[in-house]
């Protein structure tokens, strides 16, 4: 999927940003304990991608939660597992359930400075292989359960499931919530305990449920405290794909943003595969999810994504004439204050309107949702793009006086 390829670069390149708060636990080991080093990479993004692959391969083993990426004194990033107690590499190869790289080795980590992945302010559990689990972060413990009911044993689609989450501080139950029962596949349902709002006494709980389907969707709920300290469950975005929000500290303030792609760009000016959805950033403040895309502190992230798109179009020059690409490209430039010039250049580059993939409006100019579909008018690409960018807040229009 194109948008995953686009956004993954930005979700991973943050690991090379020095301002992010990484775990500062001691990495120098002694005695029989060592790190099993799978690989060393100069690029943090590549190291994190490798680590995620090794972690997935080690699922169900005692080592699945021991994979990490560490930064060394020489600036390289090591993909390591541990601490482990293997006396030599031969024993490690015998006991690890996956084939180790030929250049794997054991290290006491004397030159390791910090853990850069995974983040220390996140605990994750999924229901694919279990129906109940517990997670703990800071002073909050969460018991999560998947409750499934099937009305017809011969009909898989009569099976409804819901997620129940109970929160504890010590022996005190502080909340209990559950999602609405609905049909979900047997995979793609998870619970995360994570610090998203620095104002609240306790961290947040995020429930993700994959609806199934080729391009759809992840329903998300966030359990958090409001200004009065009461616990509430708020509706998060329903997002394309199977991943939902990613959580990254893009502004370096110690709490995580809710990072996704602007799903409104899918199927708008091109089919799904030809749509390029720009980075979309939100932040949680108590129980309010706030759009922070126009905050100047995030311009570095948008510049990086724009650079990636332009590099991609440099190798696939046909993209410069495709409306799905041009729309995402113009939206990123609008985030950087260059929107109208970008729309003009997108207009010049566009080869033609693509039938069935155009922005629509009512005859009186109102959004198409305000009139019958049969009466809606298809807008030419330059007009449709401008209307969409204004409606989504990419272009700010001063009211007439």
């Amino acid at each position: 999927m194109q948008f995953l390829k686009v956004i993954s670069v930005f979700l991973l390149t943050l690991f090379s940003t020095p301002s992010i708060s990484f775990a500062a636990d001691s990495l120098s080991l002694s005695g029989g304990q060592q790190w099993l080093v799978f690989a060393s990479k100069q690029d943090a993004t590549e190291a994190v991608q490798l680590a995620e692959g090794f972690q997935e391969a080690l699922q169900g083993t005692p080592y699945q939660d021991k994979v990490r990426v560490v930064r060394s004194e020489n600036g390289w990033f090591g993909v390591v597992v541990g601490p482990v107690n293997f006396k030599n590499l031969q024993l490690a190869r015998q006991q690890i359930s996956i084939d180790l790289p030929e250049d794997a080795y054991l290290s006491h980590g004397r030159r390791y400075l910090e853990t850069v992945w995974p983040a220390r302010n996140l605990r994750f559990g999924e229901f694919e292989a279990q129906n109940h689990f517990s997670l703990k972060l800071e002073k909050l413990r969460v018991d999560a359960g998947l409750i499934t009911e099937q009305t017809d044993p011969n009909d898989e689609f009569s099976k409804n499931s819901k997620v129940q989450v109970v929160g504890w501080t010590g022996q005190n139950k502080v909340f209990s919530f559950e999602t609405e029962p609905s049909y979900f596949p047997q995979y793609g349902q998870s619970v995360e305990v994570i610090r998203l709002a620095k104002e609240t006494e306790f961290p947040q709980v995020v429930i993700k449920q994959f609806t199934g389907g080729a391009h759809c969707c992840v329903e998300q709920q966030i359990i958090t405290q409001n200004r009065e300290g009461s616990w509430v469950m708020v509706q998060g975005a329903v997002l394309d794909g199977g991943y939902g929000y990613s959580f990254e500290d893009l502004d370096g303030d110690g709490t995580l943003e809710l990072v996704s792609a602007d799903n409104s760009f899918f199927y708008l000016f091109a089919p799904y595969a030809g749509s390029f959805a720009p980075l979309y950033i939100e932040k949680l403040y108590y129980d309010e999810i706030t759009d922070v895309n126009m905050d100047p502190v995030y311009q570095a992230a948008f510049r990086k994504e724009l650079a990636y798109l332009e590099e991609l179009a440099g190798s696939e020059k046909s993209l410069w004439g495709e409306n799905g690409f041009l729309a995402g490209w113009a939206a990123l430039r609008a985030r950087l204050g260059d929107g109208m010039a970008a729309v003009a250049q997108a207009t010049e580059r566009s080869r033609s309107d693509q039938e069935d993939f155009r922005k629509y409006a009512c005859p009186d100019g109102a959004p198409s949702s305000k009139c019958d579909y049969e009466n809606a008018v298809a807008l030419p690409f330059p007009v449709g793009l401008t209307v969409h960018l204004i409606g989504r807040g990419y272009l700010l229009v001063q009211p007439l006086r």
Side-chain angles (χ1 to χ4, degrees):
M1 291 182 286
Q2 292 282 5
F3 93 98
L4 289 177
K5 184 166 60 177
V6 172
I7 197 172
S8 63
V9 171
F10 297 94
L11 304 185
L12 293 173
T13 50
L14 69 96
F15 289 101
S16 60
T17 305
S19 60
I20 296 171
S21 299
F22 295 126
D25 50 329
S26 176
L27 298 173
S28 180
L29 303 178
S30 59
Q33 288 195 324
Q34 297 187 77
W35 299 107
L36 175 58
V37 185
F38 284 164
S40 294
K41 298 293 180 180
Q42 284 185 296
D43 181 67
T45 300
E46 189 175 356
V48 170
Q49 289 173 327
L50 279 175
E52 291 178 326
F54 283 121
Q55 186 179 60
E56 182 175 353
L58 290 168
Q59 287 294 314
T61 76
Y63 308 102
Q64 68 180 43
D65 295 324
K66 292 188 174 184
V67 183
R68 65 172 76 189
V69 175
V70 297
R71 183 171 67 86
S72 184
E73 288 180 352
N74 64 4
W76 283 59
F77 297 87
V79 180
V80 305
V81 172
V84 295
N85 293 294
F86 302 128
K87 292 183 178 180
N88 54 57
L89 191 60
Q90 182 179 359
L91 288 175
R93 292 186 185 278
Q94 291 174 358
Q95 295 187 37
I96 293 287
S97 60
I98 62 174
D99 291 333
L100 298 182
E102 291 185 5
D103 56 352
Y105 62 94
L106 293 167
S107 170
H108 283 100
R110 300 282 190 265
R111 299 183 182 276
Y112 294 162
L113 299 178
E114 61 183 353
T115 298
V116 300
W117 180 92
R120 63 179 175 179
N121 50 359
L122 166 66
R123 300 291 182 269
F124 173 82
E126 59 183 351
F127 293 107
E128 187 168 353
Q130 55 190 340
N131 287 333
H132 296 88
F133 54 81
S134 295
L135 304 169
K136 185 175 181 180
L137 182 64
E138 300 175 21
K139 299 177 182 178
L140 180 66
R141 189 185 91 242
V142 168
D143 293 335
L146 182 67
I147 302 172
T148 302
E149 296 178 352
Q150 187 167 351
T151 57
D152 183 349
N154 299 316
D155 181 7
E156 177 67 21
F157 290 97
S158 71
K159 181 187 294 184
N160 287 335
S161 61
K162 60 184 178 181
V163 175
Q164 184 180 71
V165 177
V166 181
W168 303 83
T169 59
Q171 299 299 314
N172 298 319
K173 181 191 290 189
V174 292
F175 65 75
S176 179
F177 292 99
E178 59 183 39
T179 61
E180 292 293 327
S182 185
Y183 174 79
F184 294 98
Q186 293 181 335
Y187 55 88
Q189 300 194 70
S190 65
V191 173
E192 295 164 277
V193 185
I194 186 170
R195 171 59 74 174
L196 295 175
K198 60 184 177 182
E199 301 82 14
T200 58
E201 181 180 0
F202 297 99
Q204 284 64 48
V205 181
V206 179
I207 303 171
K208 295 182 179 180
Q209 295 176 285
F210 179 53
T211 65
H215 302 309
C216 216
C217 289
V218 174
E219 297 180 0
Q220 301 174 107
Q221 312 284 340
I222 300 177
I223 300 171
T224 184
Q225 292 172 286
N226 60 22
R227 294 172 185 267
E228 289 73 40
S230 299
W231 288 93
V232 294
M233 185 165 71
V234 299
Q235 177 69 54
V238 178
L239 294 174
D240 168 89
Y243 300 96
Y245 293 124
S246 290
F247 304 107
E248 312 294 352
D249 186 6
L250 295 179
D251 60 0
D253 70 347
T255 56
L256 305 175
E257 281 77 37
L258 288 67
V259 183
S260 61
D262 187 342
N263 284 203
S264 70
F265 282 75
F266 293 125
Y267 299 106
L268 182 59
F269 297 111
Y272 183 89
S275 299
F276 287 76
L279 182 70
Y280 196 78
I281 306 170
E282 297 171 289
K283 197 141 188 167
L284 184 70
Y285 184 72
Y286 286 107
D287 57 341
E288 299 174 3
I289 300 175
T290 305
D291 175 348
V292 294
N293 288 282
M294 297 306 292
D295 190 325
V297 73
Y298 300 111
Q299 290 205 346
F302 290 112
R303 280 195 294 269
K304 289 179 182 179
E305 185 167 359
L306 179 63
Y308 172 79
L309 280 187
E310 292 180 342
E311 180 182 352
L312 183 65
S315 59
E316 301 179 34
K317 298 192 183 301
S318 63
L319 290 175
W320 284 119
E322 297 179 7
N323 293 348
F325 173 85
L326 292 170
W329 174 74
L332 289 172
R333 287 185 56 184
R335 293 294 192 210
L336 299 171
D338 195 27
M340 291 310 299
V343 170
Q345 292 173 23
T347 300
E348 294 175 359
R349 293 175 179 272
S350 173
R351 284 191 287 268
S352 63
D353 289 336
Q354 190 166 354
E355 193 67 29
D356 298 327
F357 295 101
R358 299 166 72 179
K359 182 78 173 180
Y360 286 80
C362 297
D364 62 357
S368 58
S369 60
K370 301 296 184 181
C371 60
D372 293 335
Y373 176 80
E374 293 78 9
N375 296 329
V377 178
L379 304 177
F381 174 67
V383 179
L385 176 58
T386 303
V387 168
H388 191 69
L389 293 180
I390 293 173
R392 293 291 295 171
Y394 290 84
L395 293 176
L396 302 181
V397 179
Q398 297 294 332
L400 297 175
R401 296 182 177 179

